[in-house]
Amino acid sequence: MLYSRYFIPTMKETPSDAEVVSHQLMLRAGMIRKLASGIYNYLPLGLRSIRKFENIVREEMNKADAIEMLMPSVQPAELWQESGRWAFYGKELLRFKDRKEAEFCMGPTHEEVITDMVRREIKSYRQMPINFYQIQGKFRDEIRPRFGLMRGREFIMKDAYSFDVDSSAADLSYEKMFNAYMRIFERCGLNFRAVEADTGSIGGSSSHEFMVLADSGEDAIVSCDACRYAANVEKAESPLFTVACNDTVESLQKVSTPEMKTIADVAAFLNVATNKTVKTLVYASDTGELVMALLRGDHELNELKLKNHLGWDEIVMATEEQIFAVTGSPVGFLGPIGLKNDIPVIADRVVKGMTNMVMGANEKDQHFINANRVRDFEVSGFIDIRTVEAGDACPRCDSGKLEMWRGIEVGHVFKLGTKYSKALNATYLDANGKEQIIFMGCYGIGIGRTVAAAIEQNHDENGIIFPIPIAPFHCSVVAVNTKDSGVMAAAEQIYLTLENLGIEVLFDDRDERPGVKFKDNDLIGIPLRIVVGSKGLAEGKVELKVRSTGEVLSISPEEVPATVKQLIDTALIQKNC
Ligand code: ATP
Ligand code: MG
């Protein structure tokens, strides 16, 4: 490809509306341009990277026996009404009517459409296991589209759906997809973790997210430094604390704590450690149910764990009025002793081992000291409701400690069970001719998000450093002085030889100063650069620069093809084994 005939509109300035590095660099490198909020044009260079990644995904999906198809973006409302998600999905679902007033939506995901196809076409146990996938544009009217392709409204996803005769067969399909995902992200040379995840609104029994580690990641994840346990913090189990409690039980006392509303203030005022205090929180469901949650003062509540335990659809902090109605107290002085009205009290498991606790007295400016369970108050259950922290013991192994990371979710695999097949009545006939419900799994990868995440992880102050497997071009040839016909001829010769070898080369033949060319080449992140200049040529040498390491080799033009090929093959083959 000739740079002068190609289209790479690079920008010198960092666009002010781009917050994260990948978004800034994708704009500056001329990979994408915004059309509307969360909606982008993929310019030629950006599209090349996207296609590279899609091909890796496609190869691994095919290897794992998934079968490619393509479903429409526009989906009829009836299917969503049948699954129950028309009402449930909320504003992320972009809905509209056609000229006959029939309701439709832009597909944010395709469980309904594929299940409808399968219920019509799959009739017998002999047709399973089967797994269909597509690489296709999704639309989600995200509340806060941001970070470029990372959280768009229109974005490309690979989604796959497996269909099996029973739960254990579905587990095997899940495992196959899990392993394919591991290979996909390994082949891209990304530093990532597969973490246990909450199943969220898609439902189902278990799931893993694939997280690319990056400081700008929206998710917090933990992994054990000794075993393979890793989880999204939303889901991570906290280890069971065994606290030695040989304190003598003291008598309950109410003490004055004027204006002391936070744990830190109360602990400092009473001169006790925060881990002797109890944090009391009141939460409400969307239907107005209330619950009181108790945690050790220095711990944080994990709302999702509490919500999942209660089986609520929504969980929000209770309002001051709701709180006053059950406790008779303003916020800041709450506790489980002397409640005005009945409310279930759930305590984190750690609270079970605490004695002589400090907690609010349900009265303005008053706290209790030496509060003890059973004698002074009861709880309806001890549940793991705290958010794990870095340094916590691993919940799975004896020796490990949890490390904390920020991650970008690039892939997600779910065991769906029979959630959609039941709702849409997708059944098959077993070997005895008996009708059975199909078991499903679903598996997504954000294509654009992965390319953006790769840039988050691979860049420097000069621009992108593409991992070779998803680089838009493997290599560039930069002719330093285009006026020198000897340089141009040598550069062109190298370019043509490389192209003939099947190497993807960008020939920077532009009539620009060398500094401009080097800057652009660094910015767009091509992994290997061959610089052809008159001085070097006079000595029979050209320069080969490796973008990722900064290493510069001085080699003869004849050595270029073999050296370049070897560097590329090493990167591709190593990752592909
Ligand atoms: P998130 O929690 O980030 O909103 P999700 O759980 O809604 O993601 P899934 O429904 O599991 O995402 O979609 C599968 C994959 O599609 C995700 O792992 C992610 O890589 C990608 N994806 C989801 N939403 C977006 C988006 N708005 N823009 C780009 N990619 C997305
Ligand atoms: Mg989402």
Side-chain angles (χ1 to χ4, degrees):
M1 183 67 64
L2 297 183
Y3 202 133
S4 61
R5 305 302 316 144
Y6 201 49
F7 183 69
I8 313 179
T10 57
M11 294 153 69
K12 281 201 193 71
E13 304 300 327
T14 301
S16 58
D17 60 338
E19 294 166 64
V20 295
V21 168
S22 58
H23 187 195
Q24 293 166 358
L25 288 175
M26 288 178 99
L27 288 168
R28 285 191 54 210
M31 294 176 71
I32 55 168
R33 286 292 183 265
K34 182 163 116 178
L35 176 66
S37 169
I39 303 178
Y40 288 86
N41 281 309
Y42 299 93
L43 302 192
L45 195 74
L47 186 62
R48 282 187 78 103
S49 252
I50 297 267
R51 292 279 186 255
K52 282 286 189 68
F53 181 54
E54 283 178 1
N55 283 337
I56 292 175
V57 171
R58 190 171 273 120
E59 278 174 28
E60 294 300 334
M61 285 295 112
N62 294 345
K63 266 194 230 165
D65 302 323
I67 308 167
E68 186 165 8
M69 64 175 290
L70 187 60
M71 289 175 255
S73 319
V74 173
Q75 307 184 3
E78 289 81 37
L79 282 179
W80 285 73
Q81 281 151 356
E82 237 185 305
S83 73
R85 286 207 288 187
W86 187 254
F88 190 66
Y89 213 92
K91 291 195 168 166
E92 257 187 40
L93 191 64
L94 182 65
R95 303 156 205 244
F96 55 94
K97 287 184 181 160
D98 70 5
R99 63 171 77 203
K100 293 181 186 146
E101 292 290 300
E103 286 188 298
F104 287 89
C105 64
M106 292 297 290
T109 177
H110 281 68
E111 283 80 11
E112 282 80 359
V113 175
I114 192 73
T115 311
D116 176 62
M117 193 278 275
V118 162
R119 73 178 163 184
R120 292 163 196 273
E121 309 298 333
I122 304 279
K123 304 282 182 210
S124 155
Y125 70 99
R126 288 199 191 87
Q127 293 168 281
M128 289 179 280
I130 197 156
N131 185 333
F132 296 103
Y133 79 95
Q134 63 174 346
I135 297 177
Q136 188 255 11
K138 299 279 180 275
F139 195 95
R140 294 182 183 180
D141 203 353
E142 296 272 354
I143 187 163
R144 272 191 77 196
R146 57 187 181 151
F147 303 163
L149 299 193
M150 203 87 91
R151 185 168 295 285
R153 293 199 294 164
E154 184 179 314
F155 59 96
I156 305 170
M157 195 202 284
K158 184 287 300 176
D159 44 332
Y161 306 89
S162 63
F163 298 86
D164 281 282
V165 291
D166 59 23
S167 164
S168 56
D171 286 352
L172 290 180
S173 295
Y174 182 86
E175 206 177 300
K176 250 174 144 173
M177 282 293 109
F178 182 97
N179 293 334
Y181 274 41
M182 292 296 285
R183 282 195 301 275
I184 288 168
F185 298 115
E186 274 162 17
R187 278 182 63 178
C188 296
L190 296 172
N191 185 8
F192 71 98
R193 297 277 187 287
V195 305
E196 292 180 12
D198 188 65
T199 46
S201 67
I202 290 206
S205 58
S206 87
S207 90
H208 284 87
E209 288 164 341
F210 290 76
M211 294 280 188
V212 167
L213 305 186
D215 290 340
S216 58
E218 288 184 327
D219 288 89
I221 61 172
V222 287
S223 64
C224 174
D225 61 7
C227 76
R228 290 183 54 186
Y229 180 72
N232 193 311
V233 165
E234 285 182 350
K235 160 96 179 173
E237 297 156 35
S238 66
L240 198 59
F241 275 71
T242 38
V243 188
C245 60
N246 31 21
D247 292 357
T248 38
V249 171
E250 308 282 350
S251 49
L252 184 70
Q253 260 188 58
K254 197 185 274 186
V255 294
S256 165
T257 50
E259 297 301 323
M260 298 294 146
K261 291 185 184 170
T262 66
I263 292 288
D265 287 347
V266 172
F269 184 74
L270 298 175
N271 197 22
V272 294
T274 50
N275 66 12
K276 295 296 285 181
T277 68
V278 166
K279 188 181 278 181
T280 304
L281 302 161
V282 182
Y283 277 88
S285 74
D286 47 342
T287 55
E289 274 180 276
L290 295 178
V291 70
M292 179 174 272
L294 308 181
L295 289 138
R296 201 172 81 178
D298 57 333
H299 288 164
E300 295 299 327
L301 180 83
N302 182 324
E303 286 184 6
L304 196 63
K305 286 185 186 174
L306 183 62
K307 171 175 168 271
N308 287 346
H309 167 72
L310 295 165
W312 289 358
D313 285 340
E314 296 283 340
I315 192 163
V316 286
M317 284 259 198
T319 61
E320 288 188 17
E321 294 73 46
Q322 284 174 314
I323 292 173
F324 192 82
V326 281
T327 64
S329 165
V331 177
F333 307 96
L334 308 180
I337 303 174
L339 290 166
K340 218 165 96 181
N341 278 309
D342 257 1
I343 177 173
V345 180
I346 288 173
D348 181 59
R349 293 179 307 177
V350 175
V351 174
K352 199 170 185 178
M354 292 174 73
T355 48
N356 299 329
M357 297 169 249
V358 172
M359 54 178 57
N362 292 325
E363 211 177 301
K364 185 167 173 6
D365 296 341
Q366 300 289 317
H367 276 79
F368 282 121
I369 59 171
N370 301 327
N372 285 283
R373 218 166 39 77
V374 184
R375 184 192 67 187
D376 305 321
F377 68 97
E378 282 294 355
V379 302
S380 35
F382 292 100
I383 311 293
D384 173 14
I385 50 170
R386 73 171 267 258
T387 303
V388 297
E389 289 163 22
D392 274 358
C394 173
R396 295 289 160 77
C397 74
D398 293 336
S399 54
K401 291 247 173 299
L402 296 184
E403 294 177 303
M404 190 141 326
W405 315 90
R406 302 295 309 175
I408 300 167
E409 181 201 316
V410 288
H412 204 164
V413 291
F414 289 91
K415 285 181 192 173
L416 288 173
T418 55
K419 184 179 157 104
Y420 296 95
S421 43
K422 243 193 198 139
L424 274 78
N425 199 29
T427 60
Y428 68 97
L429 295 179
D430 69 14
N432 302 315
K434 205 170 149 235
E435 194 174 14
Q436 305 277 7
I437 293 275
I438 294 176
F439 276 73
M440 288 174 61
C442 74
Y443 316 92
I445 290 183
I447 300 290
R449 190 185 280 187
T450 304
V451 172
I455 296 173
E456 276 307 310
Q457 216 172 57
N458 298 281
H459 66 269
D460 62 13
E461 64 284 3
N462 298 320
I464 303 169
I465 308 174
F466 269 115
I468 287 182
I470 56 166
F473 292 92
H474 295 135
C475 171
S476 63
V477 176
V478 180
V480 172
N481 183 353
T482 40
K483 305 266 179 328
D484 182 330
S485 57
V487 165
M488 280 307 273
E492 189 169 12
Q493 180 64 43
I494 293 172
Y495 160 60
L496 293 174
T497 316
L498 290 175
E499 271 215 327
N500 282 336
L501 284 172
I503 290 165
E504 296 161 18
V505 200
L506 185 65
F507 178 21
D508 196 346
D509 59 335
R510 291 175 302 163
D511 187 15
E512 287 282 1
R513 282 181 290 115
V516 171
K517 292 187 177 185
F518 293 149
K519 269 210 160 63
D520 278 344
N521 275 269
D522 275 345
L523 177 61
I524 65 177
I526 309 301
L528 304 172
R529 179 202 304 172
I530 292 127
V531 181
V532 186
S534 22
K535 230 164 97 189
L537 269 190
E539 293 160 20
K541 298 283 185 204
V542 296
E543 242 180 34
L544 192 161
K545 186 168 179 191
V546 182
R547 177 77 178 87
S548 60
T549 58
E551 190 186 357
V552 179
L553 305 176
S554 179
I555 53 178
S556 70
E558 295 71 39
E559 286 172 298
V560 169
T563 318
V564 165
K565 190 149 179 23
Q566 202 221 336
L567 286 167
I568 294 169
D569 285 351
T570 314
L572 296 182
I573 292 163
Q574 254 176 9
K575 304 285 189 234
N576 197 5
C577 57

PDB file of all heavy atoms in Angstrom, residues 28-51:
ATOM      1  N   ARG A  28      -6.181  10.408  16.781  1.00  0.00           N
ATOM      2  CA  ARG A  28      -4.970  11.042  16.237  1.00  0.00           C
ATOM      3  C   ARG A  28      -4.353  10.208  15.112  1.00  0.00           C
ATOM      4  O   ARG A  28      -3.783  10.757  14.175  1.00  0.00           O
ATOM      5  CB  ARG A  28      -3.940  11.246  17.365  1.00  0.00           C
ATOM      6  CG  ARG A  28      -4.312  12.399  18.302  1.00  0.00           C
ATOM      7  CD  ARG A  28      -3.174  12.729  19.220  1.00  0.00           C
ATOM      8  NE  ARG A  28      -1.947  12.998  18.477  1.00  0.00           N
ATOM      9  CZ  ARG A  28      -0.722  12.756  18.936  1.00  0.00           C
ATOM     10  NH1 ARG A  28      -0.545  12.252  20.141  1.00  0.00           N
ATOM     11  NH2 ARG A  28       0.326  13.029  18.189  1.00  0.00           N
ATOM     12  N   ALA A  29      -4.461   8.894  15.219  1.00  0.00           N
ATOM     13  CA  ALA A  29      -3.873   8.031  14.191  1.00  0.00           C
ATOM     14  C   ALA A  29      -4.792   7.895  12.974  1.00  0.00           C
ATOM     15  O   ALA A  29      -4.486   7.148  12.047  1.00  0.00           O
ATOM     16  CB  ALA A  29      -3.576   6.656  14.783  1.00  0.00           C
ATOM     17  N   GLY A  30      -5.927   8.582  12.999  1.00  0.00           N
ATOM     18  CA  GLY A  30      -6.836   8.531  11.851  1.00  0.00           C
ATOM     19  C   GLY A  30      -7.502   7.173  11.696  1.00  0.00           C
ATOM     20  O   GLY A  30      -7.772   6.728  10.588  1.00  0.00           O
ATOM     21  N   MET A  31      -7.767   6.499  12.823  1.00  0.00           N
ATOM     22  CA  MET A  31      -8.417   5.184  12.738  1.00  0.00           C
ATOM     23  C   MET A  31      -9.936   5.301  12.767  1.00  0.00           C
ATOM     24  O   MET A  31     -10.643   4.474  12.175  1.00  0.00           O
ATOM     25  CB  MET A  31      -7.974   4.297  13.912  1.00  0.00           C
ATOM     26  CG  MET A  31      -6.500   3.938  13.870  1.00  0.00           C
ATOM     27  SD  MET A  31      -6.020   2.990  15.329  1.00  0.00           S
ATOM     28  CE  MET A  31      -6.811   1.428  15.021  1.00  0.00           C
ATOM     29  N   ILE A  32     -10.424   6.275  13.541  1.00  0.00           N
ATOM     30  CA  ILE A  32     -11.885   6.422  13.678  1.00  0.00           C
ATOM     31  C   ILE A  32     -12.254   7.906  13.656  1.00  0.00           C
ATOM     32  O   ILE A  32     -11.412   8.771  13.935  1.00  0.00           O
ATOM     33  CB  ILE A  32     -12.410   5.817  15.009  1.00  0.00           C
ATOM     34  CG1 ILE A  32     -11.666   6.418  16.229  1.00  0.00           C
ATOM     35  CG2 ILE A  32     -12.313   4.314  15.012  1.00  0.00           C
ATOM     36  CD1 ILE A  32     -12.315   6.100  17.571  1.00  0.00           C
ATOM     37  N   ARG A  33     -13.491   8.190  13.330  1.00  0.00           N
ATOM     38  CA  ARG A  33     -14.039   9.543  13.451  1.00  0.00           C
ATOM     39  C   ARG A  33     -15.469   9.429  13.959  1.00  0.00           C
ATOM     40  O   ARG A  33     -16.214   8.534  13.537  1.00  0.00           O
ATOM     41  CB  ARG A  33     -14.052  10.254  12.096  1.00  0.00           C
ATOM     42  CG  ARG A  33     -12.681  10.699  11.608  1.00  0.00           C
ATOM     43  CD  ARG A  33     -12.087  11.820  12.462  1.00  0.00           C
ATOM     44  NE  ARG A  33     -10.808  12.279  11.939  1.00  0.00           N
ATOM     45  CZ  ARG A  33      -9.605  11.844  12.359  1.00  0.00           C
ATOM     46  NH1 ARG A  33      -9.532  10.936  13.314  1.00  0.00           N
ATOM     47  NH2 ARG A  33      -8.505  12.321  11.839  1.00  0.00           N
ATOM     48  N   LYS A  34     -15.817  10.368  14.857  1.00  0.00           N
ATOM     49  CA  LYS A  34     -17.158  10.333  15.446  1.00  0.00           C
ATOM     50  C   LYS A  34     -18.206  10.877  14.476  1.00  0.00           C
ATOM     51  O   LYS A  34     -17.989  11.907  13.856  1.00  0.00           O
ATOM     52  CB  LYS A  34     -17.143  11.175  16.720  1.00  0.00           C
ATOM     53  CG  LYS A  34     -18.443  11.190  17.468  1.00  0.00           C
ATOM     54  CD  LYS A  34     -18.236  11.684  18.871  1.00  0.00           C
ATOM     55  CE  LYS A  34     -18.997  12.984  19.064  1.00  0.00           C
ATOM     56  NZ  LYS A  34     -18.863  13.473  20.432  1.00  0.00           N
ATOM     57  N   LEU A  35     -19.325  10.166  14.382  1.00  0.00           N
ATOM     58  CA  LEU A  35     -20.444  10.670  13.591  1.00  0.00           C
ATOM     59  C   LEU A  35     -21.480  11.300  14.516  1.00  0.00           C
ATOM     60  O   LEU A  35     -22.006  12.371  14.259  1.00  0.00           O
ATOM     61  CB  LEU A  35     -21.075   9.522  12.794  1.00  0.00           C
ATOM     62  CG  LEU A  35     -22.329   9.885  11.999  1.00  0.00           C
ATOM     63  CD1 LEU A  35     -21.996  10.859  10.882  1.00  0.00           C
ATOM     64  CD2 LEU A  35     -22.977   8.635  11.412  1.00  0.00           C
ATOM     65  N   ALA A  36     -21.767  10.605  15.615  1.00  0.00           N
ATOM     66  CA  ALA A  36     -22.680  11.107  16.647  1.00  0.00           C
ATOM     67  C   ALA A  36     -22.228  10.444  17.936  1.00  0.00           C
ATOM     68  O   ALA A  36     -21.378   9.549  17.894  1.00  0.00           O
ATOM     69  CB  ALA A  36     -24.107  10.717  16.309  1.00  0.00           C
ATOM     70  N   SER A  37     -22.797  10.854  19.065  1.00  0.00           N
ATOM     71  CA  SER A  37     -22.356  10.296  20.344  1.00  0.00           C
ATOM     72  C   SER A  37     -22.375   8.754  20.327  1.00  0.00           C
ATOM     73  O   SER A  37     -23.420   8.151  20.078  1.00  0.00           O
ATOM     74  CB  SER A  37     -23.282  10.825  21.438  1.00  0.00           C
ATOM     75  OG  SER A  37     -23.036  10.119  22.620  1.00  0.00           O
ATOM     76  N   GLY A  38     -21.210   8.147  20.548  1.00  0.00           N
ATOM     77  CA  GLY A  38     -21.118   6.688  20.599  1.00  0.00           C
ATOM     78  C   GLY A  38     -21.255   6.008  19.249  1.00  0.00           C
ATOM     79  O   GLY A  38     -21.437   4.790  19.183  1.00  0.00           O
ATOM     80  N   ILE A  39     -21.190   6.775  18.162  1.00  0.00           N
ATOM     81  CA  ILE A  39     -21.344   6.207  16.812  1.00  0.00           C
ATOM     82  C   ILE A  39     -20.177   6.690  15.958  1.00  0.00           C
ATOM     83  O   ILE A  39     -19.957   7.903  15.839  1.00  0.00           O
ATOM     84  CB  ILE A  39     -22.698   6.634  16.197  1.00  0.00           C
ATOM     85  CG1 ILE A  39     -23.843   6.188  17.125  1.00  0.00           C
ATOM     86  CG2 ILE A  39     -22.871   6.053  14.807  1.00  0.00           C
ATOM     87  CD1 ILE A  39     -25.226   6.592  16.652  1.00  0.00           C
ATOM     88  N   TYR A  40     -19.437   5.763  15.392  1.00  0.00           N
ATOM     89  CA  TYR A  40     -18.175   6.103  14.731  1.00  0.00           C
ATOM     90  C   TYR A  40     -18.085   5.582  13.312  1.00  0.00           C
ATOM     91  O   TYR A  40     -18.616   4.517  12.986  1.00  0.00           O
ATOM     92  CB  TYR A  40     -16.998   5.515  15.535  1.00  0.00           C
ATOM     93  CG  TYR A  40     -16.782   6.265  16.822  1.00  0.00           C
ATOM     94  CD1 TYR A  40     -17.503   5.926  17.961  1.00  0.00           C
ATOM     95  CD2 TYR A  40     -15.910   7.342  16.891  1.00  0.00           C
ATOM     96  CE1 TYR A  40     -17.353   6.649  19.138  1.00  0.00           C
ATOM     97  CE2 TYR A  40     -15.751   8.063  18.055  1.00  0.00           C
ATOM     98  CZ  TYR A  40     -16.474   7.715  19.190  1.00  0.00           C
ATOM     99  OH  TYR A  40     -16.321   8.432  20.328  1.00  0.00           O
ATOM    100  N   ASN A  41     -17.337   6.335  12.472  1.00  0.00           N
ATOM    101  CA  ASN A  41     -16.861   5.802  11.201  1.00  0.00           C
ATOM    102  C   ASN A  41     -15.571   5.058  11.487  1.00  0.00           C
ATOM    103  O   ASN A  41     -14.709   5.563  12.219  1.00  0.00           O
ATOM    104  CB  ASN A  41     -16.544   6.946  10.227  1.00  0.00           C
ATOM    105  CG  ASN A  41     -17.792   7.507   9.588  1.00  0.00           C
ATOM    106  OD1 ASN A  41     -18.598   6.750   9.049  1.00  0.00           O
ATOM    107  ND2 ASN A  41     -17.953   8.815   9.645  1.00  0.00           N
ATOM    108  N   TYR A  42     -15.426   3.890  10.916  1.00  0.00           N
ATOM    109  CA  TYR A  42     -14.151   3.178  10.995  1.00  0.00           C
ATOM    110  C   TYR A  42     -13.379   3.574   9.738  1.00  0.00           C
ATOM    111  O   TYR A  42     -13.750   3.170   8.634  1.00  0.00           O
ATOM    112  CB  TYR A  42     -14.357   1.666  11.007  1.00  0.00           C
ATOM    113  CG  TYR A  42     -15.182   1.177  12.189  1.00  0.00           C
ATOM    114  CD1 TYR A  42     -16.552   1.014  12.098  1.00  0.00           C
ATOM    115  CD2 TYR A  42     -14.562   0.872  13.404  1.00  0.00           C
ATOM    116  CE1 TYR A  42     -17.302   0.580  13.179  1.00  0.00           C
ATOM    117  CE2 TYR A  42     -15.313   0.439  14.490  1.00  0.00           C
ATOM    118  CZ  TYR A  42     -16.683   0.289  14.363  1.00  0.00           C
ATOM    119  OH  TYR A  42     -17.416  -0.144  15.434  1.00  0.00           O
ATOM    120  N   LEU A  43     -12.348   4.374   9.890  1.00  0.00           N
ATOM    121  CA  LEU A  43     -11.555   4.780   8.730  1.00  0.00           C
ATOM    122  C   LEU A  43     -10.660   3.607   8.313  1.00  0.00           C
ATOM    123  O   LEU A  43     -10.521   2.635   9.061  1.00  0.00           O
ATOM    124  CB  LEU A  43     -10.744   6.033   9.064  1.00  0.00           C
ATOM    125  CG  LEU A  43     -11.570   7.246   9.519  1.00  0.00           C
ATOM    126  CD1 LEU A  43     -10.713   8.505   9.544  1.00  0.00           C
ATOM    127  CD2 LEU A  43     -12.793   7.468   8.639  1.00  0.00           C
ATOM    128  N   PRO A  44     -10.031   3.697   7.146  1.00  0.00           N
ATOM    129  CA  PRO A  44      -9.342   2.512   6.602  1.00  0.00           C
ATOM    130  C   PRO A  44      -8.347   1.860   7.559  1.00  0.00           C
ATOM    131  O   PRO A  44      -8.339   0.630   7.699  1.00  0.00           O
ATOM    132  CB  PRO A  44      -8.630   3.066   5.369  1.00  0.00           C
ATOM    133  CG  PRO A  44      -9.478   4.221   4.947  1.00  0.00           C
ATOM    134  CD  PRO A  44     -10.035   4.819   6.201  1.00  0.00           C
ATOM    135  N   LEU A  45      -7.527   2.665   8.235  1.00  0.00           N
ATOM    136  CA  LEU A  45      -6.515   2.074   9.113  1.00  0.00           C
ATOM    137  C   LEU A  45      -7.174   1.357  10.300  1.00  0.00           C
ATOM    138  O   LEU A  45      -6.775   0.254  10.686  1.00  0.00           O
ATOM    139  CB  LEU A  45      -5.586   3.183   9.627  1.00  0.00           C
ATOM    140  CG  LEU A  45      -4.286   2.725  10.254  1.00  0.00           C
ATOM    141  CD1 LEU A  45      -3.314   2.250   9.191  1.00  0.00           C
ATOM    142  CD2 LEU A  45      -3.642   3.862  11.057  1.00  0.00           C
ATOM    143  N   GLY A  46      -8.203   2.003  10.876  1.00  0.00           N
ATOM    144  CA  GLY A  46      -8.928   1.403  11.995  1.00  0.00           C
ATOM    145  C   GLY A  46      -9.589   0.111  11.565  1.00  0.00           C
ATOM    146  O   GLY A  46      -9.539  -0.908  12.274  1.00  0.00           O
ATOM    147  N   LEU A  47     -10.189   0.134  10.377  1.00  0.00           N
ATOM    148  CA  LEU A  47     -10.886  -1.054   9.892  1.00  0.00           C
ATOM    149  C   LEU A  47      -9.918  -2.222   9.697  1.00  0.00           C
ATOM    150  O   LEU A  47     -10.260  -3.369   9.973  1.00  0.00           O
ATOM    151  CB  LEU A  47     -11.610  -0.741   8.577  1.00  0.00           C
ATOM    152  CG  LEU A  47     -12.494  -1.876   8.073  1.00  0.00           C
ATOM    153  CD1 LEU A  47     -13.615  -2.181   9.054  1.00  0.00           C
ATOM    154  CD2 LEU A  47     -13.080  -1.557   6.708  1.00  0.00           C
ATOM    155  N   ARG A  48      -8.689  -1.922   9.250  1.00  0.00           N
ATOM    156  CA  ARG A  48      -7.720  -3.014   9.059  1.00  0.00           C
ATOM    157  C   ARG A  48      -7.449  -3.742  10.373  1.00  0.00           C
ATOM    158  O   ARG A  48      -7.389  -4.972  10.411  1.00  0.00           O
ATOM    159  CB  ARG A  48      -6.398  -2.461   8.493  1.00  0.00           C
ATOM    160  CG  ARG A  48      -6.447  -2.170   7.004  1.00  0.00           C
ATOM    161  CD  ARG A  48      -5.065  -1.800   6.503  1.00  0.00           C
ATOM    162  NE  ARG A  48      -4.221  -2.965   6.332  1.00  0.00           N
ATOM    163  CZ  ARG A  48      -3.932  -3.527   5.156  1.00  0.00           C
ATOM    164  NH1 ARG A  48      -4.420  -3.016   4.050  1.00  0.00           N
ATOM    165  NH2 ARG A  48      -3.139  -4.573   5.091  1.00  0.00           N
ATOM    166  N   SER A  49      -7.285  -2.963  11.465  1.00  0.00           N
ATOM    167  CA  SER A  49      -7.044  -3.598  12.768  1.00  0.00           C
ATOM    168  C   SER A  49      -8.250  -4.410  13.222  1.00  0.00           C
ATOM    169  O   SER A  49      -8.126  -5.523  13.737  1.00  0.00           O
ATOM    170  CB  SER A  49      -6.793  -2.515  13.815  1.00  0.00           C
ATOM    171  OG  SER A  49      -5.476  -2.524  14.165  1.00  0.00           O
ATOM    172  N   ILE A  50      -9.410  -3.794  13.043  1.00  0.00           N
ATOM    173  CA  ILE A  50     -10.661  -4.483  13.414  1.00  0.00           C
ATOM    174  C   ILE A  50     -10.771  -5.813  12.653  1.00  0.00           C
ATOM    175  O   ILE A  50     -11.067  -6.854  13.235  1.00  0.00           O
ATOM    176  CB  ILE A  50     -11.866  -3.576  13.053  1.00  0.00           C
ATOM    177  CG1 ILE A  50     -11.835  -2.274  13.857  1.00  0.00           C
ATOM    178  CG2 ILE A  50     -13.183  -4.311  13.135  1.00  0.00           C
ATOM    179  CD1 ILE A  50     -12.592  -2.272  15.133  1.00  0.00           C
ATOM    180  N   ARG A  51     -10.506  -5.772  11.356  1.00  0.00           N
ATOM    181  CA  ARG A  51     -10.612  -6.996  10.546  1.00  0.00           C
ATOM    182  C   ARG A  51      -9.587  -8.042  10.981  1.00  0.00           C
ATOM    183  O   ARG A  51      -9.861  -9.245  10.974  1.00  0.00           O
ATOM    184  CB  ARG A  51     -10.418  -6.680   9.057  1.00  0.00           C
ATOM    185  CG  ARG A  51     -11.539  -5.854   8.477  1.00  0.00           C
ATOM    186  CD  ARG A  51     -12.753  -6.740   8.117  1.00  0.00           C
ATOM    187  NE  ARG A  51     -13.784  -5.988   7.442  1.00  0.00           N
ATOM    188  CZ  ARG A  51     -14.938  -5.585   7.994  1.00  0.00           C
ATOM    189  NH1 ARG A  51     -15.202  -5.879   9.255  1.00  0.00           N
ATOM    190  NH2 ARG A  51     -15.823  -4.911   7.294  1.00  0.00           N
TER     191      ARG A  51
END
